[in-house]
Every structure is written in structure tokens, then in C-alpha cells.
Amino acid sequence: MEYRHKTSPSPRKFKVVASARKVLFTVFWDMERVVHMEFLEQEQTVNSERYISTLRALKLRLRRVRRDKDSILQHDNARPHISRQTQDALRQLELTTLPNPAYSPDLAPSDYYLFPQLKKYLKGHHYDNDEEVIADVHKWCRGQSSEFFADGVRQLVKRWRLCVDRDGDYVEK
């Protein structure tokens, strides 16, 4: 609402250009490969129920690819990750998690390592639909060497040490 004189010209309306749609995905990876990934359907959000469903699928995948290796999840403190229902499901699924300081994007390997590399790869590509994006993300993930993933985990170890040395302060670069 705006006040204007009766003879004032009508306000200009700018044409709204639809922004590029986003394809959101959840990814779990270890020192060798991407273990599990899921793509979120358009108009969906990650809540506790959705995250628990993802954790169940992850547990099945871990049984196949990691067999007798221990698995420890390192995730952030987002509400779906720390809700009572999720914590109960983690115990039921016997999935161990690393504690994570609140608001620590510098300790989330996907945020500081995996996603920036993936974004570099995807930059400049144009896709006609979500399926093309998903296929290209799968292709990129399969094309990464185990050394690529090991380097991301090694960086996490360094960042954890810095975080402890700084009493939980941000690590960023």
C-alpha cells in the first residue's frame, strides 16, 4: 500500500522471472565413495519423518557396502537431525553419531568440501528437467576417486582439531 496523488502515474510492475529450480539431495559418504544419496521431490521439505526414512535406507545400504566396518554418522544440529523421534530412530537402527557443536558449518564435510566441488562441476550446465540434473550428479559422484573422498575426511579431522583448540570457535579457512 502506498499513498500517492490521484494524478500520479501508476507504479511500475516488474516482470517476475522464474528462478532456476533447485534439486535438493541428502548425501552420505565415507573415505571411499558416496554410500547413499536421496533426492528430495519438488515442494517437499526434510522433517524428522523424512529424515528417519532416509536413515532407514542408509542402514540397509550400509549393510551391503560396509558389511563388517563400523559406521559413525557426522551430521549437523538441524532440527530433523536432533528431534526426539530421530534420536530414538538412531538408537533403534544402532547408528552412532559424532557430537557436533551448534552452528558449525565448518565441520560439515559436505558443506565445505563435497558440495563446492560439485557446484564447480555443475556450473554453466543447463538442464531441461530434474532427471538430467540427478543423472549428472550421479555421474559426477561415481567419477570421483577414493582419494577424493579420503581427502574430505582428512580435512574434517584437521577442522575438528582446530575447533577443539579454539574452544568451539569457527574454523573457516
Side-chain angles (χ1 to χ4, degrees):
M1 184 76 140
E2 67 181 63
Y3 293 99
R4 51 190 180 86
H5 194 273
K6 288 181 182 179
T7 60
S8 299
S10 55
R12 284 184 145 182
K13 292 185 180 181
F14 293 96
K15 290 184 179 179
V16 176
V17 177
S19 64
R21 289 178 37 171
K22 293 184 179 182
V23 176
L24 302 175
F25 80 109
T26 302
V27 60
F28 296 89
W29 51 283
D30 61 16
M31 289 188 74
E32 298 172 18
R33 70 181 85 73
V34 168
V35 175
H36 180 70
M37 71 172 82
E38 286 185 4
F39 294 87
L40 197 61
E41 301 86 23
Q42 291 294 329
E43 308 300 322
Q44 296 291 311
T45 59
V46 177
N47 56 24
S48 292
E49 186 177 309
R50 171 66 188 208
Y51 191 61
I52 291 167
S53 171
T54 298
L55 290 173
R56 288 188 178 118
L58 172 65
K59 181 67 175 188
L60 293 173
R61 180 79 175 134
L62 287 170
R63 284 185 191 148
R64 288 193 307 262
V65 298
R66 293 187 56 89
R67 293 197 183 113
D68 32 336
K69 294 180 185 176
D70 289 334
S71 297
I72 298 174
L73 297 181
Q74 193 263 332
H75 60 196
D76 60 20
N77 294 325
R79 289 205 187 267
H81 300 169
I82 61 170
S83 73
R84 181 177 294 138
Q85 299 94 322
T86 301
Q87 295 304 310
D88 291 344
L90 286 165
R91 280 189 290 281
Q92 178 191 6
L93 294 168
E94 298 176 346
L95 290 170
T96 306
T97 60
L98 277 175
N100 199 46
Y103 309 108
S104 295
D106 43 350
L107 293 178
S110 292
D111 289 347
Y112 69 78
Y113 185 74
L114 188 79
F115 292 150
Q117 297 294 327
L118 176 58
K119 284 179 183 180
K120 271 191 222 173
Y121 169 76
L122 295 174
K123 187 176 182 175
H125 290 89
H126 298 281
Y127 303 96
D128 292 327
N129 54 53
D130 294 350
E131 290 74 27
E132 288 180 9
V133 176
I134 291 168
D136 213 11
V137 169
H138 277 285
K139 175 184 163 189
W140 180 83
C141 288
R142 283 190 302 268
Q144 301 311 304
S145 68
S146 58
E147 187 57 32
F148 170 83
F149 294 106
D151 189 44
V153 174
R154 283 191 289 269
Q155 286 184 30
L156 173 63
V157 172
K158 286 182 198 174
R159 285 168 175 257
W160 265 97
R161 285 189 182 128
L162 276 172
C163 188
V164 168
D165 291 346
R166 296 177 181 183
D167 294 324
D169 282 345
Y170 279 108
V171 174
E172 294 283 346
K173 296 183 184 178

